[in-house]
């Protein structure tokens, strides 16, 4: 098989992993808000959040970006209108990733000031962006 196809498969696997983590981490935050800071439950959530972020979400985002940029270059997609839309949404998804990292750091030092409602809303953001990205990639409307 051609290298492009292998990189595409790697990209898809990385995206699935990144999205799984991006959808799960804010859900953990929802439950973490109900835990008393310093409690055993809170400390367990901290371990779960750290492992999810460090072992899955961050590496998956890096692989997604590297493989995606390779595919865009080799496929000549930088000149396509749909790709510009997709790229914008991926940048927004990366910004949400940054927000989740910031919230993770707040929880790590028991300084969360956000409500569970905030995290429920934040939990939906990656899904909405993912829908837009998939529609642009599959339909290539412009």
């Amino acid at each position: 098989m051609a290298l492009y196809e292998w990189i595409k498969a790697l990209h898809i696997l990385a995206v699935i992993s990144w999205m799984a983590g991006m959808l799960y981490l804010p859900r953990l935050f929802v439950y973490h808000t109900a835990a008393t800071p310093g409690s055993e439950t809170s400390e367990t959530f901290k371990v779960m959040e750290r492992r999810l972020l460090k072992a899955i979400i961050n590496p998956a985002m890096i692989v997604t970006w590297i493989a995606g940029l390779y595919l865009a270059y080799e496929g000549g997609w930088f000149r396509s209108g749909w790709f510009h839309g997709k790229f914008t949404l991926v940048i927004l998804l990366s910004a949400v990733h940054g927000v989740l990292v910031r919230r993770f750091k707040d929880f790590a030092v028991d300084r969360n000031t956000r409500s569970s409602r905030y995290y429920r809303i934040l939990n939906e953001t990656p899904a909405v962006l993912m829908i837009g990205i998939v529609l642009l990639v599959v339909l290539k409307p412009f």
Side-chain angles (χ1 to χ4, degrees):
M1 291 184 81
L3 179 62
Y4 186 88
E5 299 303 323
W6 281 102
I7 300 296
K8 186 191 292 185
L10 177 66
H11 181 66
I12 292 168
L13 291 169
V15 168
I16 290 168
S17 299
W18 188 24
M19 287 307 305
M22 293 285 286
L23 295 169
Y24 187 46
L25 186 59
R27 180 54 47 186
L28 287 176
F29 292 161
V30 168
Y31 302 132
H32 197 162
T33 58
T36 303
S39 69
E40 185 177 339
T41 303
S42 178
E43 296 307 310
T44 300
F45 278 122
K46 288 178 188 180
V47 170
M48 293 171 65
E49 293 157 1
R50 185 184 76 249
R51 288 180 180 168
L52 181 61
L53 188 64
K54 304 290 184 177
I56 297 173
I57 301 174
N58 287 345
M61 182 192 73
I62 292 166
V63 173
T64 296
W65 268 98
I66 292 169
L69 289 171
Y70 170 85
L71 294 170
Y73 176 77
E74 286 298 316
W77 301 120
F78 286 115
R79 295 181 299 268
S80 301
W82 68 268
F83 178 79
H84 291 225
K86 175 200 175 188
F87 195 70
T88 300
L89 295 179
V90 172
I91 288 171
L92 290 173
L93 186 60
S94 298
V96 172
H97 181 120
V99 169
L100 292 176
V101 169
R102 182 68 219 141
R103 302 289 76 88
F104 160 77
K105 290 177 179 179
D106 290 342
F107 275 112
V109 294
D110 295 322
R111 291 200 182 132
N112 174 55
T113 59
R114 312 290 180 174
S115 69
S116 63
R117 184 173 189 277
Y118 168 85
Y119 291 112
R120 282 186 179 92
I121 293 168
L122 184 60
N123 188 227
E124 303 306 322
T125 307
V128 171
L129 293 169
M130 176 186 64
I131 290 167
I133 291 166
V134 169
L135 290 175
L136 286 168
V137 170
V138 172
L139 301 176
K140 295 178 178 58
F142 46 89

